[in-house]
């Protein structure tokens, strides 16, 4: 299942990183969620992408990202997917905040990039102005926040009721990845995606594999069975 943007990334201007941000948005929108991998080689592709993600991240934050991550693949149905979601939600290790968010913040700080500096490029919602479609940020007073980007999926219309909650949680769980991926490019101020550690993570989802981090050096790549 694919979501849809309410804007065309090709029509949006994101400054010096415009081309790369457009590509990130386009690739994210093309992800077909919660379907079995279509490529017979998808499992090895996903494993390489996770290795690439970790290697790129480690160059910036070696104290958080280990030299080796034990990765295993797992296939199953919705019950298996929901069980992994519950396991991750109940553990003390939080991959998103303890590793990925820390990585993004460290990089932005090193590049002197802040949300506050984007204030002149975004609409103040206090003035009753409507953010332009495709705007990355909105402003409330002196505070700048990420705008909702999408693409959005109408899960209630697309899935049986018992599958909606784990699907919604996982999409919310990975939703920050697109923001971190874009923020990385804005902080870099260019179009070279080669060093961005969030790009291979995004492409892992596109390959049909969903990472679940069980600890700093242990990760499960889940895929749905056909």
């Amino acid at each position: 299942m694919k979501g849809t943007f309410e804007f065309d990334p090709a029509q949006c201007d994101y400054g010096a990183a415009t081309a790369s941000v457009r590509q990130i948005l386009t690739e994210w929108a093309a992800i077909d969620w919660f379907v079995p991998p279509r490529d017979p080689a998808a499992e090895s592709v996903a494993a390489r992408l996770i290795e690439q993600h970790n290697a790129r991240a480690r160059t910036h934050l070696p104290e958080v990202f280990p030299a080796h991550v034990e990765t295993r693949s797992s296939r199953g149905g919705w019950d298996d997917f929901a069980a992994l979601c519950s396991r991750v939600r109940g553990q003390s290790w939080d991959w998103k905040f303890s590793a990925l968010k820390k990585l993004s913040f460290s990089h932005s700080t090193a590049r002197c990039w802040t949300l506050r500096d984007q204030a002149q490029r975004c609409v103040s919602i206090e003035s009753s102005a409507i953010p332009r479609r495709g705007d990355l940020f909105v402003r409330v007073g002196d505070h700048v926040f990420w705008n909702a980007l999408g693409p959005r999926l109408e899960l209630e219309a697309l899935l049986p009721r018992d599958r909606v909650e784990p699907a919604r949680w996982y999409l919310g769980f990975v939703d920050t990845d697109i923001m971190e991926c874009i923020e990385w490019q804005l902080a870099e101020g260019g179009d070279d995606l080669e060093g961005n550690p969030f790009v291979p993570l995004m492409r892992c989802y596109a390959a049909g594999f969903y990472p679940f981090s069980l600890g700093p050096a242990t990760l499960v790549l889940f895929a749905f069975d056909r």
Side-chain angles (χ1 to χ4, degrees), residues 11 59 81 113 138 142 146 159 186 200 206 214 223:
Q11 302 301 315
T59 63
F81 178 76
W113 187 95
V138 295
D142 294 330
W146 280 91
L159 291 173
L186 295 175
L214 305 183

Side-chain angles (χ1 to χ4, degrees), residues 25-188:
L25 290 169
T26 300
E27 288 191 35
W28 189 258
I31 296 175
D32 198 358
W33 293 97
F34 309 124
V35 297
R38 293 185 172 86
D39 183 353
E43 185 171 328
S44 59
V45 169
R48 286 197 301 271
L49 286 166
I50 288 298
E51 288 178 4
Q52 189 178 65
H53 156 73
N54 189 71
R56 292 183 182 185
R58 183 170 166 75
T59 63
H60 294 273
L61 218 59
E63 66 272 24
V64 174
F65 292 86
H68 174 71
V69 175
E70 180 185 348
T71 303
R72 64 177 178 86
S73 297
S74 173
R75 291 181 181 256
W78 277 93
D79 287 347
D80 304 292
F81 178 76
L84 276 170
C85 290
S86 295
R87 181 175 177 180
V88 167
R89 293 165 81 170
Q91 67 185 10
S92 58
W93 165 250
D94 190 330
W95 187 37
K96 295 299 173 180
F97 285 92
S98 300
L100 298 182
K101 187 67 178 177
K102 188 177 291 187
L103 171 66
S104 176
F105 178 78
S106 173
H107 176 259
S108 293
T109 300
R111 297 296 187 275
C112 299
W113 187 95
T114 68
L115 275 175
R116 182 182 292 273
D117 291 340
Q118 315 310 308
Q120 299 305 314
R121 295 178 58 88
C122 58
V123 168
S124 171
I125 58 176
E126 290 181 315
S127 63
S128 300
I130 300 174
R132 296 176 295 271
R133 291 182 177 182
D135 278 3
L136 297 177
F137 311 107
V138 295
R139 178 164 47 89
V140 180
D142 294 330
H143 300 283
V144 177
F145 302 93
W146 280 91
N147 192 17
L149 290 175
R152 297 302 172 199
L153 293 162
E154 299 298 330
L155 295 177
E156 288 80 359
L158 296 168
L159 291 173
R161 183 179 301 177
D162 62 336
R163 299 178 181 178
V164 170
E165 199 279 334
R168 178 180 289 116
W169 178 82
Y170 195 81
L171 287 175
F173 182 64
V174 304
D175 216 25
T176 55
D177 294 344
I178 183 67
M179 299 178 188
E180 311 290 11
C181 193
I182 291 172
E183 181 173 321
W184 193 280
Q185 289 306 124
L186 295 175
E188 285 291 311

